Amino acid sequence: MLTITSEVRDALDSGQPVVALESTIISHGMPYPQNVEMARTVEGIVRDGGAVPATIAVLHGRPTIGLSADDLELLASDESVMKVSLRDLPYVVSRGLHGATTVASTMRLAALAGIDVFVTGGLGGVHRGAETSYDVSADLTELATTSVAVVCAGVKSILDIGLTLEKLETLGVPVLGYGTDEFPSFYSRSSGFAAPMRVDSAAEVAALMQAKWDMGLAGGVVVANPVPAESEIPAGEIGTIIDRALADMDALGITGKDTTPYLLGRIVELTDGSSLRTNIALVEHNARLGAAIARARAAR
C-alpha cells in the first residue's frame, strides 16, 4: 500500500539515517506560502544534518513516504487536502483522496516503512475540558503502540499539559526533556511541569530507544526539545492569548478535529504573526535534533 521514493528506499535498505516528517503542519498548521517554504527548509535541514527526509502524506489515495517539490506545493495550497488522523486513513485511501497526516498517522506510516525517528512541531494531547468532552488526541494512544521516537517542542500550549503528561505515564510512554529539567510548552521553554526524564545528547536518546525496544517494550518515545530561547514567547504572554483564542473558538462552536487548526490560526492573528515565526523556529530546531538522533541510531 505504500509508495516510497527511491531515495528513501535506498537509504532504508543501506541503513542510512532517515527522518520522517508530518504533513498536517503544511496543510493545516500554517498559512501559504510560509507553509511550503517551511517544509522545504526543514527537509534541507535534515539533509544538512546527514539524514534523508521523508515527508509523509496520502496522495491520490496512496500513503506516500517522501514527497517531491510539486507534492509539497499541492499540500500547501490545495484546500481539498484532508487532515488525516489514524481513523481517517481507510476513508482517504479507499476514495483516492489527498490527505495530510497528523502525528498519529505519520507515526503509523513511518513505522510501516521502517522509519523510527520522526520530527514534528508540537504533540497532540488531552484538550482543556476533556473531563466533559473526552477530547484526547489519537497521538497519545498511537505513542503507546507504535515504536517511533517523536521529536517535538512539547505538547501544543492550547492543551492541558498536566493531564497530557499523566496520560503518557499511564500509557507507559517515556517522555524525555532534551537538555532541560522542565517540560517545554511549544511556544515557550517553560510549562510549570517537570520533564519526567532528562537526556543531553542524541546518543543518549538513541541508547534509550534501543534499550526500550530490545526489552520488547513496544511504543514510542517523546523527545521534548525546547524552542530556542531567542524565539520563544514567554508562557505568561502566550497564555493570555491562548485564553482569548479558546473563548473565540467556543463562541463560534468549533469542535473536534477543527479545533487545533482554528486555534493556531487565531493565535497567529492575535500575535501579529510572532507565533508563526516561533512555530517555524521550533520545527527547524527539532529537525536538527531529529537528524542527529537518526544518525546516532544508524551508528549503533
Side-chain angles (χ1 to χ4, degrees):
M1 291 293 293
L2 300 181
T3 296
I4 304 179
T5 63
S6 57
E7 179 189 26
V8 174
R9 173 59 66 198
D10 290 347
L12 291 170
D13 289 345
S14 60
Q16 297 177 53
V18 179
V19 174
L21 302 166
E22 64 150 302
S23 47
T24 293
I25 193 172
I26 304 172
S27 63
H28 293 78
M30 295 183 187
Y32 183 85
Q34 290 96 330
N35 52 2
V36 70
E37 293 168 358
M38 176 277 304
R40 291 170 181 154
T41 298
V42 167
E43 287 198 347
I45 289 170
V46 171
R47 292 187 195 282
D48 291 344
V52 173
T55 303
I56 294 176
V58 179
L59 299 174
H60 304 287
R62 293 283 299 185
T64 303
I65 317 297
L67 303 183
S68 68
D70 287 344
D71 294 335
L72 294 176
E73 184 71 27
L74 182 151
L75 288 168
S77 59
D78 190 331
E79 294 185 358
S80 72
V81 175
M82 292 183 61
K83 180 183 177 183
V84 177
S85 190
L86 203 63
R87 68 166 188 181
D88 309 303
L89 275 173
Y91 181 86
V92 173
V93 168
S94 66
R95 290 174 174 259
L97 304 175
H98 299 316
T101 52
T102 65
V103 169
S105 51
T106 303
M107 282 184 70
R108 182 66 63 93
L109 294 176
L112 289 174
I115 304 169
D116 60 15
V117 178
F118 163 41
V119 164
T120 186
L123 192 66
V126 180
H127 282 255
R128 302 183 192 192
E131 63 273 12
T132 55
S133 70
Y134 292 90
D135 192 349
V136 179
S137 172
D139 296 356
L140 302 189
T141 48
E142 192 64 19
L143 276 160
T145 58
T146 298
S147 299
V148 171
V150 181
V151 182
C152 60
V155 300
K156 295 183 177 72
S157 310
I158 57 177
L159 305 174
D160 189 314
I161 296 174
L163 291 183
T164 298
L165 288 171
E166 290 288 351
K167 183 66 173 179
L168 286 167
E169 179 184 6
T170 300
L171 295 172
V173 178
V175 177
L176 314 178
Y178 190 82
T180 181
D181 294 315
E182 184 170 5
F183 189 76
S185 59
F186 196 62
Y187 298 114
S188 309
R189 295 174 62 83
S190 63
S191 66
F193 295 92
M197 308 165 200
R198 175 173 175 154
V199 292
D200 292 292
S201 71
E204 289 181 57
V205 178
L208 184 144
M209 294 162 64
Q210 190 72 45
K212 174 177 167 60
W213 298 331
D214 280 352
M215 289 189 290
L217 300 175
V221 175
V222 174
V223 184
N225 185 33
V227 60
E230 66 273 14
S231 300
E232 79 162 329
I233 302 175
E237 179 182 337
I238 195 67
T240 301
I241 292 166
I242 289 171
D243 288 343
R244 179 175 171 187
L246 286 165
D248 292 344
M249 182 186 73
D250 289 342
L252 292 170
I254 296 171
T255 59
K257 66 192 298 184
D258 295 326
T259 58
T260 297
Y262 170 80
L263 288 170
L264 292 177
R266 183 64 178 138
I267 290 167
V268 170
E269 294 173 355
L270 293 172
T271 60
D272 293 323
S274 66
S275 66
L276 177 59
R277 292 188 289 274
T278 297
N279 198 346
I280 292 170
L282 66 85
V283 174
E284 293 176 354
H285 190 50
N286 292 343
R288 295 184 187 94
L289 177 56
I293 295 170
R295 286 201 322 272
R297 282 283 293 161
R300 292 186 66 83

